[in-house]
Short mmCIF file of all heavy atoms in Angstrom, two decimals:
data_model
loop_
_atom_site.label_atom_id
_atom_site.label_comp_id
_atom_site.label_asym_id
_atom_site.label_seq_id
_atom_site.Cartn_x
_atom_site.Cartn_y
_atom_site.Cartn_z
N LEU N 116 -24.42 11.53 12.50
CA LEU N 116 -23.90 11.18 13.83
C LEU N 116 -25.01 11.33 14.87
O LEU N 116 -25.74 12.32 14.87
CB LEU N 116 -22.71 12.08 14.19
CG LEU N 116 -21.51 12.02 13.23
CD1 LEU N 116 -20.40 12.95 13.72
CD2 LEU N 116 -20.98 10.60 13.07
N LYS N 117 -25.12 10.34 15.73
CA LYS N 117 -26.22 10.30 16.69
C LYS N 117 -25.68 10.72 18.04
O LYS N 117 -24.66 10.22 18.50
CB LYS N 117 -26.73 8.86 16.74
CG LYS N 117 -28.02 8.70 17.47
CD LYS N 117 -28.50 7.26 17.34
CE LYS N 117 -29.66 7.02 18.27
NZ LYS N 117 -29.91 5.60 18.49
N ARG N 118 -26.37 11.66 18.68
CA ARG N 118 -25.90 12.12 19.99
C ARG N 118 -26.29 11.09 21.04
O ARG N 118 -27.46 10.71 21.16
CB ARG N 118 -26.53 13.48 20.31
CG ARG N 118 -25.96 14.14 21.54
CD ARG N 118 -26.39 15.61 21.62
NE ARG N 118 -25.82 16.30 22.75
CZ ARG N 118 -26.51 16.65 23.84
NH1 ARG N 118 -27.79 16.35 23.93
NH2 ARG N 118 -25.91 17.28 24.83
N GLN N 119 -25.29 10.63 21.79
CA GLN N 119 -25.55 9.68 22.87
C GLN N 119 -24.79 10.13 24.10
O GLN N 119 -23.61 10.45 24.02
CB GLN N 119 -25.10 8.27 22.48
CG GLN N 119 -26.13 7.59 21.58
CD GLN N 119 -25.68 6.21 21.13
OE1 GLN N 119 -24.53 6.01 20.79
NE2 GLN N 119 -26.59 5.27 21.09
N LEU N 120 -25.50 10.18 25.24
CA LEU N 120 -24.89 10.58 26.50
C LEU N 120 -24.11 11.89 26.35
O LEU N 120 -22.99 12.05 26.84
CB LEU N 120 -23.98 9.47 27.03
CG LEU N 120 -24.68 8.12 27.25
CD1 LEU N 120 -23.68 7.04 27.65
CD2 LEU N 120 -25.79 8.21 28.29
N GLY N 121 -24.71 12.84 25.60
CA GLY N 121 -24.14 14.19 25.53
C GLY N 121 -23.03 14.41 24.54
O GLY N 121 -22.38 15.44 24.57
N LYS N 122 -22.78 13.41 23.65
CA LYS N 122 -21.75 13.69 22.63
C LYS N 122 -21.98 12.91 21.34
O LYS N 122 -22.68 11.91 21.32
CB LYS N 122 -20.34 13.43 23.17
CG LYS N 122 -20.16 12.14 23.94
CD LYS N 122 -18.76 12.11 24.55
CE LYS N 122 -18.56 10.92 25.46
NZ LYS N 122 -19.13 11.07 26.78
N TYR N 123 -21.36 13.43 20.28
CA TYR N 123 -21.34 12.74 18.99
C TYR N 123 -20.03 11.99 18.91
O TYR N 123 -19.01 12.46 19.42
CB TYR N 123 -21.40 13.74 17.83
CG TYR N 123 -22.56 14.68 17.93
CD1 TYR N 123 -22.40 15.97 18.42
CD2 TYR N 123 -23.84 14.28 17.56
CE1 TYR N 123 -23.47 16.83 18.55
CE2 TYR N 123 -24.93 15.14 17.68
CZ TYR N 123 -24.74 16.41 18.18
OH TYR N 123 -25.80 17.25 18.32
N GLU N 124 -20.06 10.84 18.24
CA GLU N 124 -18.82 10.08 18.12
C GLU N 124 -18.60 9.70 16.66
O GLU N 124 -19.47 9.14 16.01
CB GLU N 124 -18.94 8.80 18.96
CG GLU N 124 -17.70 7.94 18.90
CD GLU N 124 -17.78 6.69 19.78
OE1 GLU N 124 -17.66 6.85 21.01
OE2 GLU N 124 -17.99 5.59 19.24
N LEU N 125 -17.43 10.05 16.17
CA LEU N 125 -17.02 9.67 14.82
C LEU N 125 -15.95 8.60 14.98
O LEU N 125 -14.90 8.85 15.59
CB LEU N 125 -16.45 10.89 14.10
CG LEU N 125 -15.96 10.64 12.68
CD1 LEU N 125 -17.14 10.49 11.74
CD2 LEU N 125 -15.09 11.80 12.21
N LEU N 126 -16.24 7.40 14.46
CA LEU N 126 -15.32 6.28 14.66
C LEU N 126 -14.65 5.93 13.33
O LEU N 126 -15.32 5.65 12.34
CB LEU N 126 -16.12 5.07 15.18
CG LEU N 126 -15.42 3.71 15.23
CD1 LEU N 126 -14.20 3.74 16.13
CD2 LEU N 126 -16.40 2.63 15.72
N ILE N 127 -13.32 5.97 13.33
CA ILE N 127 -12.57 5.56 12.14
C ILE N 127 -11.71 4.37 12.54
O ILE N 127 -10.92 4.45 13.48
CB ILE N 127 -11.69 6.73 11.62
CG1 ILE N 127 -12.59 7.88 11.16
CG2 ILE N 127 -10.78 6.26 10.50
CD1 ILE N 127 -11.85 9.17 10.87
N LYS N 128 -11.92 3.25 11.85
CA LYS N 128 -11.15 2.05 12.17
C LYS N 128 -9.86 2.07 11.37
O LYS N 128 -9.88 2.26 10.15
CB LYS N 128 -11.97 0.80 11.80
CG LYS N 128 -11.37 -0.47 12.34
CD LYS N 128 -11.62 -0.58 13.83
CE LYS N 128 -11.14 -1.90 14.37
NZ LYS N 128 -11.37 -2.00 15.80
N VAL N 129 -8.74 1.91 12.04
CA VAL N 129 -7.44 1.98 11.38
C VAL N 129 -6.78 0.61 11.46
O VAL N 129 -6.46 0.14 12.54
CB VAL N 129 -6.55 3.03 12.09
CG1 VAL N 129 -5.17 3.09 11.44
CG2 VAL N 129 -7.21 4.39 12.06
N ARG N 130 -6.63 -0.04 10.29
CA ARG N 130 -5.98 -1.35 10.31
C ARG N 130 -5.33 -1.64 8.95
O ARG N 130 -5.81 -2.50 8.21
CB ARG N 130 -7.01 -2.42 10.66
CG ARG N 130 -6.38 -3.73 11.08
CD ARG N 130 -7.40 -4.79 11.37
NE ARG N 130 -8.06 -4.58 12.64
CZ ARG N 130 -9.17 -5.22 13.01
NH1 ARG N 130 -9.73 -6.07 12.19
NH2 ARG N 130 -9.71 -4.99 14.18
N PRO N 131 -4.24 -0.93 8.60
CA PRO N 131 -3.65 -1.13 7.28
C PRO N 131 -2.90 -2.48 7.15
O PRO N 131 -2.61 -2.91 6.05
CB PRO N 131 -2.67 0.04 7.14
CG PRO N 131 -2.40 0.48 8.52
CD PRO N 131 -3.58 0.15 9.36
N LYS N 132 -2.57 -3.13 8.29
CA LYS N 132 -1.88 -4.42 8.31
C LYS N 132 -0.47 -4.37 7.74
O LYS N 132 0.17 -5.41 7.55
CB LYS N 132 -2.69 -5.50 7.58
CG LYS N 132 -4.01 -5.81 8.27
CD LYS N 132 -4.73 -6.94 7.56
CE LYS N 132 -6.02 -7.27 8.27
NZ LYS N 132 -6.85 -8.22 7.54
N GLN N 133 0.01 -3.19 7.38
CA GLN N 133 1.40 -3.05 6.90
C GLN N 133 1.80 -1.59 7.04
O GLN N 133 0.96 -0.73 7.30
CB GLN N 133 1.51 -3.50 5.44
CG GLN N 133 0.57 -2.79 4.49
CD GLN N 133 0.84 -3.10 3.02
OE1 GLN N 133 1.60 -2.39 2.39
NE2 GLN N 133 0.21 -4.14 2.48
N LEU N 134 3.09 -1.32 6.89
CA LEU N 134 3.55 0.07 6.93
C LEU N 134 3.13 0.76 5.64
O LEU N 134 3.17 0.15 4.57
CB LEU N 134 5.06 0.11 7.08
CG LEU N 134 5.61 -0.55 8.36
CD1 LEU N 134 7.13 -0.59 8.32
CD2 LEU N 134 5.12 0.15 9.61
N VAL N 135 2.70 2.01 5.73
CA VAL N 135 2.21 2.74 4.56
C VAL N 135 3.00 4.03 4.45
O VAL N 135 3.04 4.83 5.38
CB VAL N 135 0.69 3.06 4.72
CG1 VAL N 135 0.21 3.89 3.55
CG2 VAL N 135 -0.12 1.78 4.85
N LYS N 136 3.63 4.24 3.30
CA LYS N 136 4.50 5.40 3.13
C LYS N 136 3.74 6.71 3.37
O LYS N 136 4.16 7.57 4.12
CB LYS N 136 5.11 5.39 1.72
CG LYS N 136 6.20 6.43 1.57
CD LYS N 136 6.94 6.29 0.26
CE LYS N 136 8.02 7.34 0.15
NZ LYS N 136 8.69 7.27 -1.16
N HIS N 137 2.58 6.85 2.69
CA HIS N 137 1.79 8.07 2.89
C HIS N 137 0.49 7.70 3.57
O HIS N 137 -0.45 7.26 2.91
CB HIS N 137 1.49 8.73 1.54
CG HIS N 137 2.72 9.11 0.78
ND1 HIS N 137 3.48 10.20 1.11
CD2 HIS N 137 3.34 8.51 -0.27
CE1 HIS N 137 4.53 10.28 0.28
NE2 HIS N 137 4.45 9.27 -0.57
N PHE N 138 0.46 7.85 4.88
CA PHE N 138 -0.76 7.52 5.63
C PHE N 138 -1.30 8.81 6.23
O PHE N 138 -0.56 9.57 6.84
CB PHE N 138 -0.44 6.52 6.75
CG PHE N 138 -1.66 6.14 7.56
CD1 PHE N 138 -2.39 5.02 7.24
CD2 PHE N 138 -2.09 6.94 8.61
CE1 PHE N 138 -3.54 4.68 7.96
CE2 PHE N 138 -3.23 6.63 9.33
CZ PHE N 138 -3.96 5.48 9.00
N GLN N 139 -2.61 9.05 6.04
CA GLN N 139 -3.14 10.31 6.57
C GLN N 139 -4.63 10.21 6.86
O GLN N 139 -5.41 9.66 6.07
CB GLN N 139 -2.91 11.42 5.54
CG GLN N 139 -3.25 12.80 6.08
CD GLN N 139 -2.73 13.91 5.16
OE1 GLN N 139 -1.99 13.65 4.22
NE2 GLN N 139 -3.13 15.13 5.43
N ILE N 140 -5.02 10.73 8.03
CA ILE N 140 -6.44 10.88 8.35
C ILE N 140 -6.70 12.38 8.49
O ILE N 140 -5.96 13.07 9.19
CB ILE N 140 -6.79 10.19 9.69
CG1 ILE N 140 -6.59 8.68 9.60
CG2 ILE N 140 -8.23 10.49 10.10
CD1 ILE N 140 -6.82 7.92 10.91
#
Side-chain angles (χ1 to χ4, degrees):
L116 301 181
K117 192 174 170 196
R118 188 167 183 254
Q119 281 177 319
L120 303 175
K122 45 187 174 281
Y123 306 99
E124 180 178 285
L125 179 74
L126 169 61
I127 296 170
K128 191 75 175 180
V129 178
R130 196 182 285 167
K132 295 183 178 172
Q133 56 171 269
L134 300 173
V135 177
K136 189 171 180 184
H137 301 284
F138 180 93
Q139 189 168 351
I140 296 176

